[in-house]
Amino acid sequence: MAKRALITGITGQDGSYLAELLLAKGYEVVGVMRRSSTINIERISHLQDQLTLVSGDLMDEVSLINVLRDYRPSEVYNLAAQSFVQTSWAQPVLTGETTALGVTRMLDAIRLIDPEIRFYQASSSEMFGRVRAVPQDENTPFYPRSPYGVAKVYGHWITVNYRESYNLHASSGILFNHESPRRGLEFVTRKVTNGVARIKNGLDTELRLGNLEAQRDWGFAADYVRAMWAMLQRETPDDFVIATGETHSVRELCEAAFAVVGLNYEDYVIVDPSFIRPAEVDLLVGDPAKANQLLGWKCEVDFFGLIEMMVAADMQTLQR
């Protein structure tokens, strides 16, 4: 019998790559979507006929209970969240409702309907925020620097609490920045690669960005969803940092992306103070040693390969 997995946030970048991976492994995949005035299923449209899409919302525990009862998945991947850091300053309470309390609602629904379900929580490197150690691993203390980071810390610890108190198979992946051609335009990597494509095609003349010195550990989203799956195949649930272990600045990102199309970033990039965050996180770089060792996981696409892939995809979209 095919395994059945439930994914919240299936219409997002990670949800779409995870759905592809699970379908390739022979799973039945059920995706939970919020009812909203505009349904954006662009990222999963190529898979639509292979998926079961159902309505449910992390704000509404009854809807989660119903979905679990109707579809009886053996694995649940909770990828849904208000996931944009900048927005979390404008909507701090909503961010807490979905990104923090939403996790509790889902864990509670699992506990009530079927405590045997294996649960994956999408934790985030933003939990480290103002970093206490470089690089960050599973034992580095959290110091979140945005309402989003704070909400993710709650989601992380409530997962640990349900695991320890109710003996649930609940694991957390502390994922560092992971990007792809499916990344939203509000994220800096995609903003840059899309900007490069627009400038190269004569549609724009400049690219406005915030702090060029901010450094991040950037990997490829399709590599990272393999780690999520691997966590739920283990006998014992646990928490894992998923990262490349390498860091690059936004300046390097610009340099690499413009170089793909033979341009010099210095001719086009303008630093705009309005894009600087109220509180910047410092040097986010993860130590994936535990995941390498216990999950047998490693990155297959490096930073330059990732940027090249994203610029190529944005060029192709514009030329279409």
Side-chain angles (χ1 to χ4, degrees), residues 21-148:
L21 176 77
L22 295 175
L23 288 169
K25 290 185 182 293
Y27 280 70
E28 281 177 36
V29 178
V30 179
V32 178
M33 287 172 58
R34 276 199 315 265
R35 283 216 183 277
S36 64
S37 50
T38 54
I39 303 273
N40 179 12
I41 56 164
E42 182 191 340
R43 294 186 183 95
I44 52 168
S45 55
H46 63 297
L47 305 169
Q48 218 179 324
D49 52 353
Q50 302 170 65
L51 303 168
T52 305
L53 296 176
V54 300
S55 167
D57 197 319
L58 288 178
M59 306 281 245
D60 178 10
E61 192 171 331
V62 173
S63 73
L64 303 178
I65 288 171
N66 287 335
V67 169
L68 292 179
R69 200 172 43 207
D70 292 349
Y71 292 94
R72 296 286 173 165
S74 54
E75 297 173 2
V76 169
Y77 295 86
N78 183 41
L79 310 184
Q82 188 300 99
S83 64
F84 188 42
V85 174
Q86 202 73 37
T87 304
S88 79
W89 290 103
Q91 301 183 319
V93 175
L94 178 73
T95 300
E97 279 287 353
T98 51
T99 308
L101 293 177
V103 187
T104 315
R105 294 186 190 105
M106 181 58 94
L107 285 164
D108 225 35
I110 287 172
R111 182 176 70 86
L112 290 169
I113 296 297
D114 178 5
E116 293 303 300
I117 290 173
R118 296 188 171 196
F119 176 77
Y120 171 82
Q121 167 58 11
S123 287
S124 163
S125 59
E126 289 286 333
M127 302 189 305
F128 295 118
R130 188 171 175 181
V131 301
R132 308 283 85 187
V134 178
Q136 295 89 50
D137 65 17
E138 293 78 8
N139 300 311
T140 306
F142 300 136
Y143 192 145
R145 297 273 276 168
S146 64
Y148 171 74

Side-chain angles (χ1 to χ4, degrees), residues 9-23:
I10 193 163
T11 57
Q13 165 187 259
D14 294 9
S16 66
Y17 282 112
L18 180 62
E20 282 176 355
L21 176 77
L22 295 175
L23 288 169

Side-chain angles (χ1 to χ4, degrees), residues 194-205:
N194 183 60
V196 165
R198 291 182 64 83
I199 287 168
K200 183 67 179 177
N201 283 291
L203 298 170
D204 283 341
T205 53

